[in-house]
């Protein structure tokens, strides 16, 4: 079965490439990635809002995965591209909302925090109607974004053209996550690497139906109750990456995207 | 014309599942997030960033599994991945 996904081509997106040695100009906004030798912005290994955390302002970004990132502190990515459904993405990291084309692995972990909050509360964490609206909601919850709280943020592409009123008393994450336990709110506030996240005591208590090492192992029975899979398979290591290559997904479809590369 | 060959989860995406169920239990949410974090260890270890993580782009397998869907581009050094290998 063939599924045709006909995406309307987004309008061309003019990136600020004044800081990059090379510029990729494609009418259809092909995604390109250039590994830079030097980063203009914050070291991606430090993650976003690090200083916010140090100043006792609540932050909710997850840090990058230090253990698997082999890039040195001066390395980052330059991306020139247009992302479709741009206004539909409520899990975008702050540097993307500011139009940055330099970022690292931590943007996926930021999104994971947003997904976690949304699955628990059944509503988006920052339900903005646009990138600027999302930023304004994040600022009112987490506090102001400036060079004092986030060194290097003024170099983000659109930082100079987006400004918000000063937030004296940010509301914090608790009102955004009603009916959630403190350790769940705390998890969204924390800044762990991926492995640190999995080792958090939250995942070691009774919340998981099976130990972490048994996740994604085929079950002995395919029960209807998604909450109680009751798996009994034993796997030796918590971080046996070999099992990631044995996904048992049985359906394959072709998806044609009406976009040129 | 760009063609993606992907494998899909038979239970649809996480966003629709959440709408259908109205809410997820804590155990279920925790399982999804832990599975995603493990997937990140794999992807990020290969220097791949998804860049478009959101419930609509996460598919549910016949058991408690998730894979990433085609929206958003994976970025890896020097080229765009057209086929996903999770």
């Amino acid at each position: 079965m063939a599924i045709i996904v006909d995406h309307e081509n987004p309008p061309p997106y003019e990136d600020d490439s004044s800081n990059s040695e090379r510029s990729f100009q494609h009418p259809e906004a092909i995604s390109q990635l250039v590994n830079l030798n030097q980063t203009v912005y914050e070291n991606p290994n430090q993650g976003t809002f690090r200083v916010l955390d140090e100043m006792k302002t609540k932050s909710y970004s997850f840090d990058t995965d230090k253990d698997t990132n082999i890039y040195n502190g001066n390395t980052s990515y330059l991306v020139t591209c247009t992302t479709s459904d741009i206004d539909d993405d409520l899990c975008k990291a702050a540097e993307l909302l500011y139009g940055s084309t330099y970022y690292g692995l931590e943007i996926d972990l930021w999104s994971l925090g947003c997904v976690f909050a949304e699955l628990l509360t059944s509503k988006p964490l920052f339900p903005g109607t646009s990138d600027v609206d999302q930023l304004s909601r994040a600022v009112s919850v987490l506090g102001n974004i400036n060079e004092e709280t986030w060194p290097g943020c003024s170099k983000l592409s659109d930082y100079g053209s987006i400004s918000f009123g000063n937030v004296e008393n940010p509301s914090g994450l608790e009102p955004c996550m009603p009916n959630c336990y403190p350790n769940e709110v705390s998890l969204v506030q924390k800044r762990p690497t991926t492995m640190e996240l999995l080792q958090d005591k939250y995942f070691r208590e009774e919340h998981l139906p099976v130990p972490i090492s048994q996740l994604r192992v085929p079950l002995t029975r395919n029960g209807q109750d998604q909450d109680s899979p009751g798996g009994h398979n034993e796997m030796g290591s918590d971080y046996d990456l070999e099992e990631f290559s044995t996904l048992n997904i049985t359906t394959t479809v072709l998806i044609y995207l009406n976009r040129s590369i | 014309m760009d063609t993606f060959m992907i494998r899909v989860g038979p239970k649809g995406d996480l966003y629709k599942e959440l709408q259908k169920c109205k809410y997820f239990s804590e155990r279920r949410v925790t399982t999804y997030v832990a599975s995603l974090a493990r997937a990140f260890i794999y992807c990020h270890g290969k220097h791949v960033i998804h860049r478009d993580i959101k419930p609509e782009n996460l598919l549910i397998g016949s058991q408690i599994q998730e894979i990433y869907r085609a929206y958003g581009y994976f970025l890896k050094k020097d080229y765009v991945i057209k086929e996903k290998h999770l």
Side-chain angles (χ1 to χ4, degrees):
Chain A
M1 175 180 182
I3 300 176
I4 299 180
V5 179
D6 189 355
H7 285 284
E8 176 184 358
N9 284 324
Y13 174 58
E14 291 296 333
D15 267 326
D16 177 8
S17 57
S18 58
N19 288 325
S20 59
E21 295 179 357
R22 288 180 283 175
S23 176
F24 294 83
Q25 302 293 336
H26 294 289
E28 300 300 327
I30 299 173
S31 298
Q32 297 285 342
L33 180 147
V34 176
N35 185 11
L36 300 183
N37 291 324
Q38 288 188 354
T39 180
V40 177
Y41 303 130
E42 179 180 38
N43 179 342
N45 289 320
Q46 295 173 11
T48 55
F49 289 154
R50 184 181 188 90
V51 176
L52 269 172
D53 195 45
E54 294 169 358
M55 297 182 66
K56 300 184 179 179
T57 304
K58 293 169 182 174
S59 68
Y60 75 107
S61 174
F62 292 165
D63 208 333
T64 187
D65 185 347
K66 298 189 182 71
D67 293 327
T68 56
N69 186 353
I70 64 169
Y71 289 90
N72 61 40
N74 292 323
T75 302
S76 186
Y77 300 97
L78 166 64
V79 180
T80 303
C81 65
T82 299
T83 303
S84 60
D85 299 327
I86 193 167
D87 290 332
D88 193 36
D89 188 355
L90 303 179
C91 301
K92 289 172 69 173
E95 54 267 57
L96 296 180
L97 297 173
Y98 273 118
S100 176
T101 55
Y102 294 75
Y103 47 81
L105 305 169
E106 70 279 356
I107 61 165
D108 279 348
L109 284 155
W110 174 300
S111 301
L112 182 60
C114 295
V115 168
F116 180 59
E118 182 168 353
L119 297 185
L120 285 174
T121 64
S122 301
K123 58 186 181 182
L125 182 60
F126 296 130
T129 55
S130 67
D131 285 358
V132 175
D133 192 21
Q134 270 185 274
L135 270 175
S136 72
R137 293 168 188 262
V139 167
S140 64
V141 170
L142 302 173
N144 300 302
I145 299 175
N146 49 44
E147 281 292 329
E148 191 177 357
T149 60
W150 180 358
C153 67
S154 60
K155 296 186 177 62
L156 297 173
S157 183
D158 296 332
Y159 185 83
S161 54
I162 303 175
S163 62
F164 305 100
N166 188 53
V167 177
E168 297 287 352
N169 297 292
S171 61
L173 282 168
E174 287 86 357
C176 301
M177 299 177 66
N179 304 316
C180 290
Y181 293 111
N183 59 351
E184 287 163 343
V185 178
S186 169
L187 196 63
V188 178
Q189 289 170 354
K190 286 183 178 178
R191 312 168 51 79
T193 64
T194 313
M195 288 191 179
E196 284 168 358
L197 173 69
L198 285 172
Q199 290 171 351
D200 189 273
K201 64 179 181 179
Y202 178 81
F203 290 105
R204 294 182 174 277
E205 292 167 359
E206 68 275 15
H207 302 294
L208 280 172
V210 295
I212 288 177
S213 58
Q214 293 182 21
L215 288 171
R216 315 190 81 160
V217 173
L219 303 177
T220 53
R221 62 179 179 84
N222 187 15
Q224 287 295 328
D225 186 359
Q226 292 290 309
D227 293 337
S228 305
H232 299 294
N233 295 290
E234 285 296 329
M235 298 289 289
S237 169
D238 271 0
Y239 301 106
D240 182 4
L241 298 183
E242 186 67 28
E243 75 182 67
F244 283 98
S245 60
T246 60
L247 271 179
N248 185 22
I249 305 297
T250 57
T251 307
T252 300
V253 302
L254 279 174
I255 294 187
Y256 295 92
L257 299 180
N258 186 27
R259 298 180 67 173
S260 303
I261 284 190
Chain B
M1 181 71 66
D2 183 29
T3 301
F4 284 81
M5 171 75 76
I6 63 169
R7 297 169 290 180
V8 300
K11 293 196 176 235
D13 69 68
L14 212 46
Y15 181 74
K16 289 192 177 73
E17 182 76 359
L18 181 59
Q19 285 189 314
K20 186 179 73 174
C21 299
K22 305 303 179 188
Y23 69 92
F24 287 156
S25 73
E26 195 177 306
R27 281 160 61 95
R28 189 170 181 182
V29 171
T30 307
T31 303
Y32 286 148
V33 170
S35 298
L36 279 166
R38 295 197 69 182
F40 282 177
I41 293 176
Y42 177 81
C43 291
H44 291 173
K46 295 182 178 298
H47 320 129
V48 170
I49 308 173
H50 186 284
R51 296 177 61 247
D52 201 17
I53 293 292
K54 54 187 178 182
E56 296 92 318
N57 285 354
L58 304 171
L59 296 182
I60 306 174
S62 57
Q63 293 147 14
I64 299 185
Q65 301 168 345
E66 299 92 40
I67 58 175
Y68 299 165
R69 195 156 73 171
Y71 301 116
Y73 289 101
F74 268 25
L75 292 185
K76 190 175 180 181
K77 186 173 180 178
D78 294 332
Y79 61 91
V80 177
I81 296 176
K82 298 184 181 180
E83 185 177 50
K84 296 189 167 56
H85 303 289
L86 282 179

